[in-house]
Amino acid sequence: MFIENLLFPIDQFHLESVDVTSTSITIMARSIQGSACCPTCQAECSKVHSHYLRTVADLPWANRQLILRLRVRRFFCPSGTCPQRIFGERLRTGLPAYARRTTRLTAALRALAFATGGQAGARLAHLLTMPTSPRTLLRILHTAPLPPPAPPRVIGLDDWAWKKGRNYGTMCVDLERRVPIDLLPDREPASVATWLKAHPTIEVIARDRSGGYIEAATRGAPQAIQVADRWHLLKNLGDTLEYCFHHHAPVLKQAAHDLNTSIATGRPEQRPVPTLDGTTHRPRETAASQAWQTQAREIYERVQDLHAKQVDVATIARHVGVSRPTVYRYLQLKQPPEPATIHVARPHVIEPFKPYLVQRWNEGCRNALQMWRELRDQHGYTHAPRTVVRFVSELRNDSGLARSFRNVPAAPIYTLERERKRPLTALQATRLFRSHLDQRSDWLEAYRQRVCDLDPVLAEAYVFVQRFLTMLRQRNGEALDSWLTDVEASNVAELRTFASGLRRDDAAVKAGLTLPYSNGQTEAQIQRLKLLKRAMYGQADFELLRTRVLHRDAPLPVKRRCNDQVFLHAA
């Protein structure tokens, strides 16, 4: 009786036998329905024509494959006008017509296919005693019904790369429900506008600042409010600042030199403490770096020369052999690019604690383990004692006290020089100007002040950048007009160009600085799409990828305790 209750559906069959092996369970059963309905004319009949054996796979039992051998019947159709004279009896929904699997086994394989794909799903299905092929799993995926999306009100639009630099598609995400609602095979304005026209309930569209989506949103949903994504606004501001710092590279170097000189002023020239992991200063230029600098200077001169002859950027890039972004960057520079400062190694874990160790050595403490205990208890040092022992050994060897170091009177043997800071790159200076005051160290804040003191244009740019960031953080879009007016009257040419771009998309930018919507959820769904595409080795067609992206998993059950009993609730 227990086995009969596990069969699905058992009330239509009579159990005849059960054959159990080490790998499978075969159940023989016969149909006991008294009559059947014709699938064509729905006429009920009881006149049996013949019998046939039907083999169906079901969910496994106890790590054994379950096979149902069902003896079903064929009937004569009693209607003289029905074109179908003979038909096989139909079973309930758990066993569809002509199916070789039960509905619950198909549902389990579909869940595996959605989660892992074809090849990985087939391997996992074999381990779970549900053997199938990758192509069968893909066929199950293609026939899976997609959930009908609710009428969207707030959506996000962004592109995704089918093949980067060549083919792009469009992702449409419901920002209120945080689920993707459609996937388009291209990002053409006409296609996106057609999709928007088919969804008249859309009220807000969050997008980036590309011209294609601006045109598509204007044509397809003129009633919707367009919102420029705040992350893209911040990214555009950062790119503008980086170009600005490329024009003022000598100022960045002069500021670092002035700070290093002021720090070193008044300190006696004494022998520094030897480091354990090598120098942290810039190494001597190698032959490779010198060759790179020579090549970069030649490219820079050729780009400037061709630009002076009014040659377009694409032709310059092909003639010189570089990319168009490189041509744009070289045209923004006032001098040839220089190689970046290279560090041999990052600071050792003992570096922040060296001043304290030198102080204790000068006070007369010669016990390395005692110093390590003090660092551990007073300063939160979490590393092993051997790093302290090695550093103290360097002090002993350098002071001539390696053999006899006990009862030595305290004497100021060493003083640590502060490490010379290198100039910030244009990207690092951009991050500094965009950072909050609480996120800067004392040196970075002093560096920022020195840069502003040396160049009034950069000082003016810093004020405008902080005003824009305040608008963005506080969602104060009403202040955008006054900010644009002030920037257009300023001396910062790069920010004036940035402001003119914001003017062309004024309404969407103001909405982005005011409304709470952004494209963050859209970017997250695109990352999920990339994961699915790469898990299928990039060989899935668009329809299969769309099916997997738009599929929604069932919510997981959550256990909750109530009155010492455990109940399962849908999450």
Side-chain angles (χ1 to χ4, degrees):
M1 182 60 67
F2 176 72
I3 294 179
E4 293 178 356
N5 291 335
L6 291 179
L7 280 175
F8 183 79
I10 191 60
D11 54 350
Q12 302 180 54
F13 297 94
H14 174 70
L15 185 63
E16 293 182 343
S17 65
V18 178
D19 183 19
V20 180
T21 66
S22 60
T23 59
S24 65
I25 300 175
T26 304
I27 296 178
M28 294 291 297
R30 60 181 173 84
S31 174
I32 57 175
Q33 294 185 113
S35 61
C37 293
C38 176
T40 303
C41 64
Q42 302 301 319
E44 186 174 357
C45 60
S46 59
K47 188 176 180 180
V48 178
H49 173 271
S50 59
H51 297 80
Y52 70 96
L53 197 62
R54 184 176 175 184
T55 303
V56 180
D58 198 5
L59 287 175
W61 285 6
N63 203 26
R64 289 178 172 86
Q65 185 181 2
L66 179 59
I67 302 173
L68 304 178
R69 306 292 297 276
L70 306 177
R71 189 179 301 277
V72 295
R73 295 165 293 181
R74 297 186 180 94
F75 289 88
F76 288 103
C77 180
S79 176
T81 60
C82 181
Q84 186 166 354
R85 302 297 302 276
I86 301 172
F87 64 90
E89 62 178 326
R90 299 297 191 265
L91 305 176
R92 292 186 178 178
T93 56
L95 196 57
Y98 309 107
R100 295 300 183 94
R101 292 181 301 272
T102 61
T103 303
R104 57 186 183 181
L105 177 59
T106 303
L109 293 176
R110 182 183 296 119
L112 278 179
F114 272 120
T116 58
Q119 292 285 349
R123 290 193 295 268
L124 185 56
H126 278 275
L127 292 177
L128 298 176
T129 326
M130 296 183 292
T132 187
S133 67
R135 291 190 176 274
T136 299
L137 289 180
L138 294 183
R139 284 196 297 270
I140 294 176
L141 276 183
H142 279 296
T143 59
L146 293 176
R153 193 182 69 88
V154 181
I155 68 166
L157 296 178
D158 205 352
D159 56 2
W160 56 276
W162 184 265
K163 192 168 186 180
K164 191 173 181 66
R166 298 186 182 181
N167 302 327
Y168 288 86
T170 298
M171 168 83 77
C172 308
V173 178
D174 190 331
L175 298 182
E176 291 184 316
R177 298 175 180 85
R178 304 173 72 85
V179 293
I181 53 179
D182 209 346
L183 205 64
L184 305 182
D186 56 51
R187 59 177 180 180
E188 296 299 324
S191 302
V192 180
T194 302
W195 186 89
L196 292 174
K197 290 177 181 178
H199 298 79
T201 59
I202 296 175
E203 300 178 5
V204 179
I205 300 176
R207 54 162 177 79
D208 57 18
R209 299 180 60 208
S210 63
Y213 288 134
I214 295 176
E215 179 184 353
T218 304
R219 291 166 48 188
Q223 78 284 355
I225 300 174
Q226 300 184 35
V227 178
D229 184 49
R230 288 185 293 276
W231 185 89
H232 286 90
L233 291 175
L234 191 60
K235 177 68 168 57
N236 298 148
L237 178 63
D239 295 340
T240 302
L241 268 180
E242 189 173 356
Y243 283 129
C244 182
F245 282 117
H246 279 304
H247 294 164
H248 298 80
V251 178
L252 301 180
K253 295 181 180 180
Q254 184 63 36
H257 178 269
D258 294 347
L259 286 181
N260 289 327
T261 303
S262 63
I263 291 174
T265 301
R267 292 185 177 271
E269 288 291 331
Q270 299 186 14
R271 186 167 42 188
V273 178
T275 59
L276 304 179
D277 55 347
T279 179
T280 58
H281 293 202
R282 178 176 174 176
R284 295 179 180 177
E285 292 187 351
T286 61
S289 64
Q290 293 177 357
W292 178 90
Q293 193 168 5
T294 302
Q295 182 182 6
R297 186 180 296 106
E298 293 176 356
I299 294 175
Y300 174 82
E301 293 173 353
R302 293 172 63 187
V303 167
Q304 295 291 342
D305 181 59
L306 292 174
H307 180 68
K309 297 178 181 177
Q310 297 182 351
V311 181
D312 61 281
V313 173
T315 305
I316 294 177
R318 288 193 299 269
H319 183 72
V320 179
V322 296
S323 63
R324 284 183 294 176
T326 301
V327 175
Y328 282 117
R329 184 165 60 89
Y330 278 28
L331 291 177
Q332 294 288 339
L333 298 177
K334 295 183 178 179
Q335 58 185 4
E338 297 183 359
T341 304
I342 303 174
H343 284 286
V344 175
R346 62 182 181 181
H348 199 271
V349 295
I350 199 64
E351 288 294 334
F353 305 95
K354 282 184 178 180
Y356 178 79
L357 295 177
V358 172
Q359 176 186 352
R360 295 291 291 128
W361 177 272
N362 292 336
E363 292 174 355
C365 181
R366 301 295 185 262
N367 192 325
L369 290 179
Q370 177 62 27
M371 295 184 186
W372 172 75
R373 295 188 193 98
E374 294 175 2
L375 289 179
R376 181 193 61 187
D377 299 337
Q378 301 177 16
H379 301 279
Y381 188 74
T382 58
H383 299 280
R386 61 178 176 269
T387 55
V388 179
V389 172
R390 289 173 184 170
F391 181 72
V392 174
S393 298
E394 295 289 342
L395 296 179
R396 292 174 185 160
N397 292 331
D398 202 35
S399 60
L401 304 176
R403 295 185 176 275
S404 176
F405 58 87
R406 297 182 183 275
N407 301 324
V408 176
I413 301 175
Y414 288 104
T415 59
L416 285 176
E417 288 184 342
R418 295 188 62 176
E419 181 184 0
R420 292 179 59 85
K421 302 289 185 179
R422 62 190 179 103
L424 297 186
T425 63
L427 180 59
Q428 291 170 339
T430 299
R431 294 170 180 168
L432 173 61
F433 270 43
R434 292 191 308 179
S435 65
H436 195 272
L437 180 61
D438 298 337
Q439 299 174 342
R440 306 171 196 159
S441 63
D442 295 339
W443 189 87
L444 286 177
E445 177 58 20
Y447 184 89
R448 197 273 309 166
Q449 293 179 357
R450 185 57 184 165
V451 167
C452 294
D453 293 340
L454 290 174
D455 196 322
V457 175
L458 292 180
E460 194 175 6
Y462 174 75
V463 174
F464 286 125
V465 168
Q466 290 299 316
R467 284 178 56 186
F468 188 85
L469 293 176
T470 302
M471 279 192 301
L472 189 141
R473 296 187 183 111
Q474 298 179 359
R475 309 281 175 82
N476 186 18
E478 292 78 9
L480 178 64
D481 293 333
S482 62
W483 185 86
L484 291 175
T485 303
D486 295 341
V487 169
E488 290 168 349
S490 68
N491 297 320
V492 189
E494 293 80 7
L495 286 183
R496 291 200 303 268
T497 304
F498 175 69
S500 65
L502 296 185
R503 283 286 191 192
R504 292 192 294 269
D505 199 15
D506 181 74
V509 173
K510 190 174 296 184
L513 296 176
T514 306
L515 300 179
Y517 307 113
S518 69
N519 253 9
Q521 180 59 213
T522 309
E523 296 289 349
Q525 294 295 340
I526 289 177
Q527 293 300 320
R528 174 173 170 264
L529 180 147
K530 292 178 180 178
L531 175 64
L532 294 175
K533 185 166 69 74
R534 290 168 182 168
M536 294 185 287
Y537 302 97
Q539 298 179 359
D541 59 1
F542 173 76
E543 290 300 328
L544 178 60
L545 183 62
R546 179 177 180 272
T547 301
R548 292 196 67 184
V549 168
L550 300 184
H551 172 69
R552 302 176 193 171
D553 297 325
L556 296 176
V558 177
K559 291 184 178 181
R560 297 179 181 175
R561 289 193 173 272
C562 181
N563 296 331
D564 297 330
Q565 295 182 359
V566 177
F567 299 93
L568 290 179
H569 299 271

